[in-house]
Amino acid sequence: MNADTWQDSHSREYKQFRSFMGLKFGTRSKRLSLSWRRKCAVILLSGMICQMIYFFRMKHQRYLYKADTYFLPCEMPVLDPYDSIQMKNMKISKPFKCDLLHSPIYVDDENLLQFNRTVVQLFHLNPESITCTCQIIQRKVNTDKKVVYSDTFLCTPPYNIQSDFFKISCVSGEAELINTMLTNIFRPEKAFSTHTEEHYSVILFGIDSMSRNDAIRQIPRVVRYLQEELPSIDMSMYNRIGGHTFDNIIPMLTGLLANVKDIPYLNKVGTRFEILPFIWKNFSRNHYATFYAEDEKRWHTFNFRKEGFKVQPTDHYMRPFWIADYQSRPTKLLFWNKSKNSYNKRKCLSHIPEYLVQMNYLKQFINKYKDVRKFGVSHLNSLSHRNVNNLHLAEEDLIFFF
């Protein structure tokens, strides 16, 4: 075979091979050129994105919260509380319309039912003409869903109330002055340890469904008071780990996750929570006075679609009060979502809003055990659970409380 014949044969085979590989003469250079241009564009774009990320991380660290964990650094964005999208959802709620301006009756620090002399004089009342009757409210044994009432008895002030909760009705002649329920801290007969420099009292005060940014928007003066007047610590990276109150409170109070892996019987009918290692048990074993309060009978963290506690979990436990309050409401107020007027009344208990009733109960607990070690959890549900825009209505009371 001569050189020309071999070259023609080789050329034919090469053409067949390239045809088999999907390449054709005349288009190869164009396709390769287009492919390389695409690759170069992708590489260039990727480089620009990496450069932007690097620039953002190096030049804008002030917009990130950072904390080193055991394995990897954790970073969270600093969100603007006054972002325009969020501000569209912020509205000014109307104040709750409670029935009375002031109560003529109150409970002092010594468990004594007393006349509010200022109110009695304001309404030109003669204390000797006022008659009051009471009923003690107690938790029914072995259930978290029912209460029992004592027989009615005379309790005209001054009177020593030996219970945390009671109903009271006072009249002057034929005029009814008050018909409501009141709280009190009746100290049980058990030994509690006194304060020392090595042992702190602990009070957890929570407001449901309120984020850090909600607080900055809704109650800015409270936030400033905590930051400037009290030695507070802003836990800026504290975050929820579940979608519901229960999912977040269980880990906080027990160290367990709210799932069937950590709590195998969680989804079983009749689940009760006595056996969980709640942190108040630790304090109780160390002779602390203990306290748990959460408003809202229906949406209670441990009772919504659950059985709650068979045995009262803490020395002072507010659920019986809210059950009695719910039972005492007229039917039209029980279904408060039917109208705006009943909604406003549903948020009040006589002369004050519900959230303030619970805050006062916590203050009574703190005052009653002034020189004693104490652990308490007060969790406000009704104020903001359905509408965070109600928070600003409590700003003055929160500042006064703190």
Side-chain angles (χ1 to χ4, degrees), residues 297-314:
K297 183 259 183 186
R298 293 168 296 172
W299 310 110
H300 195 280
T301 300
F302 302 108
N303 297 87
F304 180 60
R305 298 176 180 173
K306 301 174 181 67
E307 294 298 317
F309 298 92
K310 182 177 182 179
V311 179
Q312 180 168 309
T314 52

Side-chain angles (χ1 to χ4, degrees), residues 80-93 211 213-214 217-218 384 386-392:
D80 179 12
Y82 300 103
D83 180 81
S84 58
I85 295 177
Q86 291 298 323
M87 292 303 291
K88 290 179 182 179
N89 298 322
M90 184 174 174
K91 298 178 182 178
I92 303 299
S93 298
S211 69
N213 281 357
D214 280 329
R217 283 189 294 266
Q218 293 283 344
S384 58
R386 298 177 189 83
N387 184 4
V388 75
N389 287 312
N390 288 335
L391 271 173
H392 71 91

Side-chain angles (χ1 to χ4, degrees), residues 38-51:
R38 287 176 178 173
K39 290 179 180 180
C40 289
V42 170
I43 293 172
L44 181 62
L45 182 61
S46 300
M48 291 175 63
I49 291 174
C50 292
Q51 188 177 16

Side-chain angles (χ1 to χ4, degrees), residues 148-335:
V148 293
Y149 301 87
S150 71
D151 294 333
T152 302
F153 57 92
L154 285 174
C155 58
T156 302
Y159 191 91
N160 185 16
I161 296 295
Q162 299 186 7
S163 174
D164 274 25
F165 315 118
F166 60 98
K167 294 179 70 173
I168 183 169
S169 175
C170 296
V171 296
S172 178
E174 295 183 357
E176 184 177 75
L177 303 179
I178 189 171
N179 187 352
T180 188
M181 299 192 312
L182 295 177
T183 65
N184 174 44
I185 293 292
F186 180 64
R187 186 165 166 172
E189 294 183 2
K190 57 186 291 189
F192 296 105
S193 296
T194 56
H195 278 301
T196 67
E197 293 182 358
E198 292 79 23
H199 297 88
Y200 289 94
S201 286
V202 179
I203 303 295
L204 302 179
F205 183 86
I207 302 177
D208 195 71
S209 302
M210 181 181 72
S211 69
R212 179 176 179 272
N213 281 357
D214 280 329
I216 294 172
R217 283 189 294 266
Q218 293 283 344
I219 47 176
R221 290 191 295 130
V222 176
V223 174
R224 285 198 299 270
Y225 184 83
L226 292 174
Q227 291 174 340
E228 298 171 7
E229 302 296 331
L230 299 179
S232 59
I233 298 172
D234 182 0
M235 300 172 68
S236 54
M237 294 186 70
Y238 184 83
N239 206 351
R240 72 177 192 174
I241 60 173
H244 302 282
T245 303
F246 182 81
D247 302 333
N248 295 282
I249 279 191
I250 285 290
M252 183 173 68
L253 297 181
T254 69
L256 302 175
L257 292 177
N259 57 38
V260 293
K261 182 178 179 181
D262 278 15
I263 310 175
Y265 56 87
L266 183 62
N267 295 328
K268 294 182 180 179
V269 177
T271 295
R272 295 183 183 275
F273 299 99
E274 285 79 18
I275 67 173
L276 292 187
F278 283 102
I279 192 171
W280 53 65
K281 293 183 179 180
N282 298 30
F283 285 94
S284 184
R285 283 193 292 268
N286 285 279
H287 309 293
Y288 278 64
T290 56
F291 172 102
Y292 187 84
E294 181 177 346
D295 55 353
E296 278 286 3
K297 183 259 183 186
R298 293 168 296 172
W299 310 110
H300 195 280
T301 300
F302 302 108
N303 297 87
F304 180 60
R305 298 176 180 173
K306 301 174 181 67
E307 294 298 317
F309 298 92
K310 182 177 182 179
V311 179
Q312 180 168 309
T314 52
D315 296 316
H316 300 277
Y317 183 55
M318 201 178 187
R319 179 161 172 78
F321 179 88
W322 294 117
I323 293 175
D325 169 57
Y326 187 79
Q327 292 176 349
S328 68
R329 303 276 181 165
T331 304
K332 63 181 180 180
L333 297 188
L334 290 178
F335 299 96

Side-chain angles (χ1 to χ4, degrees), residues 47-92:
M48 291 175 63
I49 291 174
C50 292
Q51 188 177 16
M52 290 171 64
I53 293 174
Y54 175 80
F55 176 80
F56 176 82
R57 289 172 61 86
M58 296 302 295
K59 300 296 184 181
H60 298 273
Q61 289 295 328
R62 64 183 183 275
Y63 297 117
L64 290 175
Y65 296 119
K66 294 189 69 176
D68 289 333
T69 67
Y70 288 106
F71 303 105
L72 295 171
C74 177
E75 296 184 351
M76 293 175 62
V78 179
L79 303 177
D80 179 12
Y82 300 103
D83 180 81
S84 58
I85 295 177
Q86 291 298 323
M87 292 303 291
K88 290 179 182 179
N89 298 322
M90 184 174 174
K91 298 178 182 178
I92 303 299

